[in-house]
Amino acid sequence: MNPAEWTILRPQVIRWAQCDLYGHVNHTAYLTMFEDLRVDHWQAVAGARISPDRPGPVVAQIEARYLRAVGFGDEVVLGCRTVALRRTSYTQDYVLWKDAEPCVTARSVVVVTRQDTGAKVPLPPEIRARLIAEGAREE
């Protein structure tokens, strides 16, 4: 995986609170780290903070693949990129590297919904254009 292919790259040091009894990162902590990237990315492409009064992203599906253990105090780099778009959803890939080696990869399908009703809504044209400019392809 080439870091230049990722829209967001963020260094992080693994905290004790992210680890299990053995000092390994707990599987839910990876999903939280990826969620932070997803939220930051949405706010960047939307040009506004996530708010209950406008449509926003909701995870419909997420899967992760654990390749190597990561532990307390490890210095890692997180990556996020949008790879595909549909009418009301998009697919994002995530990665966590340690020493330039991928340790965890993940993929989510995110649906844009109205926050008051939960109804799906089309990706706004300006967000669609920004995601395509970042390299996402339409499916």
Side-chain angles (χ1 to χ4, degrees):
M1 290 183 202
N2 179 357
E5 297 173 352
W6 296 81
T7 306
I8 297 176
L9 292 172
R10 179 178 297 159
Q12 183 167 330
V13 176
I14 300 300
R15 299 180 350 244
W16 181 254
Q18 297 171 303
C19 297
D20 61 19
L21 178 64
Y22 305 107
H24 300 123
V25 174
N26 183 286
H27 65 281
T28 60
Y30 293 111
L31 299 182
T32 300
M33 287 184 268
F34 296 150
E35 176 183 51
D36 289 344
L37 292 177
R38 182 172 50 256
V39 168
D40 288 351
H41 182 255
W42 175 265
Q43 292 179 152
V45 298
R49 295 183 64 84
I50 291 177
S51 171
D53 63 342
R54 57 182 167 267
V58 175
V59 174
Q61 178 182 340
I62 192 162
E63 60 184 51
R65 183 170 203 160
Y66 305 99
L67 306 169
R68 270 180 44 182
V70 178
F72 174 63
D74 284 346
E75 295 180 10
V76 300
V77 176
L78 303 164
C80 172
R81 65 182 173 195
T82 305
V83 294
L85 305 172
R86 296 185 129 184
R87 192 177 76 78
T88 63
S89 66
Y90 57 97
T91 303
Q92 282 191 316
D93 284 346
Y94 313 92
V95 65
L96 180 146
W97 288 281
K98 177 182 160 190
D99 300 327
E101 292 292 326
C103 299
V104 178
T105 60
R107 174 167 280 191
S108 68
V109 176
V110 180
V111 178
V112 180
T113 66
R114 286 182 46 149
Q115 302 308 303
D116 56 348
T117 65
K120 294 178 186 179
V121 297
L123 272 165
E126 63 279 5
I127 292 175
R128 178 178 290 281
R130 287 182 183 136
L131 295 174
I132 290 169
E134 291 176 355
R137 68 184 188 291
E138 296 203 52
E139 290 187 334

Short mmCIF file of all heavy atoms in Angstrom, two decimals, residues 81-104:
data_model
loop_
_atom_site.label_atom_id
_atom_site.label_comp_id
_atom_site.label_asym_id
_atom_site.label_seq_id
_atom_site.Cartn_x
_atom_site.Cartn_y
_atom_site.Cartn_z
N ARG A 81 -9.51 6.51 2.60
CA ARG A 81 -9.79 6.98 1.24
C ARG A 81 -11.16 6.46 0.81
O ARG A 81 -11.58 5.38 1.22
CB ARG A 81 -8.72 6.53 0.25
CG ARG A 81 -8.67 5.03 0.07
CD ARG A 81 -7.57 4.63 -0.87
NE ARG A 81 -7.44 3.17 -0.89
CZ ARG A 81 -6.41 2.53 -1.38
NH1 ARG A 81 -5.40 3.19 -1.90
NH2 ARG A 81 -6.37 1.21 -1.38
N THR A 82 -11.83 7.23 -0.01
CA THR A 82 -13.11 6.81 -0.59
C THR A 82 -12.82 6.18 -1.93
O THR A 82 -12.12 6.77 -2.76
CB THR A 82 -14.06 8.00 -0.74
OG1 THR A 82 -14.20 8.63 0.54
CG2 THR A 82 -15.43 7.56 -1.24
N VAL A 83 -13.33 4.97 -2.14
CA VAL A 83 -12.99 4.24 -3.36
C VAL A 83 -14.14 4.13 -4.35
O VAL A 83 -13.91 3.93 -5.54
CB VAL A 83 -12.44 2.83 -3.03
CG1 VAL A 83 -11.10 2.95 -2.30
CG2 VAL A 83 -13.42 2.00 -2.23
N ALA A 84 -15.38 4.25 -3.87
CA ALA A 84 -16.52 4.08 -4.78
C ALA A 84 -17.72 4.88 -4.29
O ALA A 84 -17.86 5.13 -3.09
CB ALA A 84 -16.89 2.61 -4.89
N LEU A 85 -18.57 5.26 -5.23
CA LEU A 85 -19.79 6.02 -4.95
C LEU A 85 -20.99 5.35 -5.59
O LEU A 85 -20.87 4.77 -6.67
CB LEU A 85 -19.72 7.42 -5.56
CG LEU A 85 -18.57 8.32 -5.22
CD1 LEU A 85 -18.63 9.55 -6.10
CD2 LEU A 85 -18.62 8.70 -3.77
N ARG A 86 -22.10 5.46 -4.94
CA ARG A 86 -23.39 5.10 -5.51
C ARG A 86 -24.30 6.31 -5.32
O ARG A 86 -23.84 7.38 -4.94
CB ARG A 86 -23.95 3.86 -4.83
CG ARG A 86 -23.06 2.65 -5.08
CD ARG A 86 -23.66 1.43 -4.53
NE ARG A 86 -23.65 0.45 -5.61
CZ ARG A 86 -24.16 -0.74 -5.54
NH1 ARG A 86 -24.78 -1.12 -4.44
NH2 ARG A 86 -24.10 -1.56 -6.54
N ARG A 87 -25.59 6.14 -5.53
CA ARG A 87 -26.51 7.27 -5.43
C ARG A 87 -26.58 7.83 -4.01
O ARG A 87 -26.49 9.03 -3.80
CB ARG A 87 -27.90 6.86 -5.90
CG ARG A 87 -28.85 8.02 -6.09
CD ARG A 87 -30.18 7.59 -6.64
NE ARG A 87 -31.02 6.96 -5.64
CZ ARG A 87 -31.71 7.61 -4.69
NH1 ARG A 87 -31.64 8.92 -4.63
NH2 ARG A 87 -32.46 6.96 -3.83
N THR A 88 -26.75 6.95 -3.02
CA THR A 88 -26.92 7.40 -1.63
C THR A 88 -25.81 6.90 -0.70
O THR A 88 -25.91 7.10 0.51
CB THR A 88 -28.27 6.92 -1.06
OG1 THR A 88 -28.28 5.49 -1.05
CG2 THR A 88 -29.44 7.45 -1.87
N SER A 89 -24.79 6.26 -1.25
CA SER A 89 -23.76 5.68 -0.39
C SER A 89 -22.38 5.78 -1.03
O SER A 89 -22.25 6.07 -2.22
CB SER A 89 -24.09 4.21 -0.10
OG SER A 89 -24.02 3.44 -1.28
N TYR A 90 -21.39 5.48 -0.22
CA TYR A 90 -20.02 5.43 -0.70
C TYR A 90 -19.27 4.39 0.11
O TYR A 90 -19.66 4.01 1.20
CB TYR A 90 -19.34 6.80 -0.65
CG TYR A 90 -19.29 7.46 0.70
CD1 TYR A 90 -18.17 7.38 1.51
CD2 TYR A 90 -20.37 8.21 1.15
CE1 TYR A 90 -18.12 8.00 2.74
CE2 TYR A 90 -20.33 8.84 2.39
CZ TYR A 90 -19.21 8.73 3.17
OH TYR A 90 -19.16 9.35 4.40
N THR A 91 -18.16 3.92 -0.47
CA THR A 91 -17.33 2.90 0.16
C THR A 91 -15.99 3.52 0.50
O THR A 91 -15.38 4.18 -0.35
CB THR A 91 -17.14 1.70 -0.78
OG1 THR A 91 -18.42 1.19 -1.13
CG2 THR A 91 -16.31 0.61 -0.14
N GLN A 92 -15.54 3.29 1.74
CA GLN A 92 -14.25 3.80 2.17
C GLN A 92 -13.36 2.65 2.61
O GLN A 92 -13.82 1.68 3.20
CB GLN A 92 -14.40 4.78 3.34
CG GLN A 92 -14.86 6.13 2.89
CD GLN A 92 -14.77 7.17 3.98
OE1 GLN A 92 -15.13 6.92 5.12
NE2 GLN A 92 -14.28 8.34 3.63
N ASP A 93 -12.07 2.80 2.32
CA ASP A 93 -11.05 1.88 2.80
C ASP A 93 -10.24 2.57 3.88
O ASP A 93 -10.07 3.80 3.85
CB ASP A 93 -10.10 1.46 1.67
CG ASP A 93 -10.72 0.45 0.72
OD1 ASP A 93 -11.76 -0.14 1.07
OD2 ASP A 93 -10.14 0.24 -0.36
N TYR A 94 -9.74 1.77 4.82
CA TYR A 94 -8.92 2.26 5.92
C TYR A 94 -7.73 1.34 6.06
O TYR A 94 -7.80 0.16 5.74
CB TYR A 94 -9.70 2.25 7.25
CG TYR A 94 -11.07 2.85 7.14
CD1 TYR A 94 -12.17 2.05 6.86
CD2 TYR A 94 -11.27 4.21 7.30
CE1 TYR A 94 -13.43 2.59 6.75
CE2 TYR A 94 -12.53 4.77 7.19
CZ TYR A 94 -13.61 3.95 6.91
OH TYR A 94 -14.86 4.49 6.79
N VAL A 95 -6.66 1.88 6.63
CA VAL A 95 -5.47 1.07 6.91
C VAL A 95 -4.78 1.64 8.14
O VAL A 95 -4.86 2.85 8.42
CB VAL A 95 -4.51 1.04 5.70
CG1 VAL A 95 -3.94 2.42 5.41
CG2 VAL A 95 -3.41 0.01 5.89
N LEU A 96 -4.14 0.77 8.88
CA LEU A 96 -3.26 1.16 9.97
C LEU A 96 -1.91 0.51 9.68
O LEU A 96 -1.84 -0.71 9.54
CB LEU A 96 -3.81 0.69 11.33
CG LEU A 96 -2.96 1.07 12.54
CD1 LEU A 96 -3.85 1.34 13.73
CD2 LEU A 96 -1.95 -0.03 12.86
N TRP A 97 -0.87 1.36 9.56
CA TRP A 97 0.49 0.87 9.31
C TRP A 97 1.33 1.01 10.57
O TRP A 97 1.18 1.98 11.31
CB TRP A 97 1.20 1.72 8.26
CG TRP A 97 0.77 1.60 6.86
CD1 TRP A 97 1.07 0.62 5.97
CD2 TRP A 97 -0.01 2.56 6.13
NE1 TRP A 97 0.52 0.91 4.75
CE2 TRP A 97 -0.15 2.08 4.82
CE3 TRP A 97 -0.60 3.77 6.47
CZ2 TRP A 97 -0.85 2.77 3.84
CZ3 TRP A 97 -1.31 4.46 5.51
CH2 TRP A 97 -1.43 3.96 4.21
N LYS A 98 2.23 0.08 10.76
CA LYS A 98 3.28 0.18 11.78
C LYS A 98 4.58 -0.19 11.06
O LYS A 98 4.64 -1.23 10.40
CB LYS A 98 3.02 -0.77 12.93
CG LYS A 98 4.11 -0.77 13.98
CD LYS A 98 3.79 -1.78 15.07
CE LYS A 98 5.05 -2.13 15.83
NZ LYS A 98 4.83 -3.27 16.71
N ASP A 99 5.57 0.65 11.18
CA ASP A 99 6.86 0.41 10.52
C ASP A 99 6.66 0.15 9.02
O ASP A 99 7.28 -0.74 8.44
CB ASP A 99 7.60 -0.76 11.16
CG ASP A 99 7.88 -0.53 12.63
OD1 ASP A 99 8.11 0.64 13.01
OD2 ASP A 99 7.86 -1.51 13.40
N ALA A 100 5.76 0.95 8.40
CA ALA A 100 5.47 0.88 6.97
C ALA A 100 4.82 -0.43 6.52
O ALA A 100 4.70 -0.68 5.33
CB ALA A 100 6.72 1.17 6.14
N GLU A 101 4.37 -1.25 7.46
CA GLU A 101 3.68 -2.51 7.14
C GLU A 101 2.22 -2.41 7.56
O GLU A 101 1.94 -1.97 8.68
CB GLU A 101 4.33 -3.69 7.87
CG GLU A 101 5.72 -4.02 7.40
CD GLU A 101 5.75 -4.58 5.99
OE1 GLU A 101 4.81 -5.28 5.59
OE2 GLU A 101 6.73 -4.27 5.27
N PRO A 102 1.29 -2.80 6.69
CA PRO A 102 -0.12 -2.77 7.11
C PRO A 102 -0.38 -3.79 8.22
O PRO A 102 0.07 -4.94 8.13
CB PRO A 102 -0.88 -3.12 5.84
CG PRO A 102 0.10 -3.79 4.95
CD PRO A 102 1.46 -3.30 5.34
N CYS A 103 -1.07 -3.35 9.26
CA CYS A 103 -1.42 -4.22 10.38
C CYS A 103 -2.91 -4.52 10.41
O CYS A 103 -3.32 -5.61 10.82
CB CYS A 103 -1.02 -3.57 11.70
SG CYS A 103 0.75 -3.27 11.83
N VAL A 104 -3.71 -3.55 9.99
CA VAL A 104 -5.16 -3.72 9.94
C VAL A 104 -5.66 -2.99 8.70
O VAL A 104 -5.24 -1.86 8.43
CB VAL A 104 -5.86 -3.12 11.18
CG1 VAL A 104 -7.37 -3.27 11.08
CG2 VAL A 104 -5.34 -3.76 12.45
#
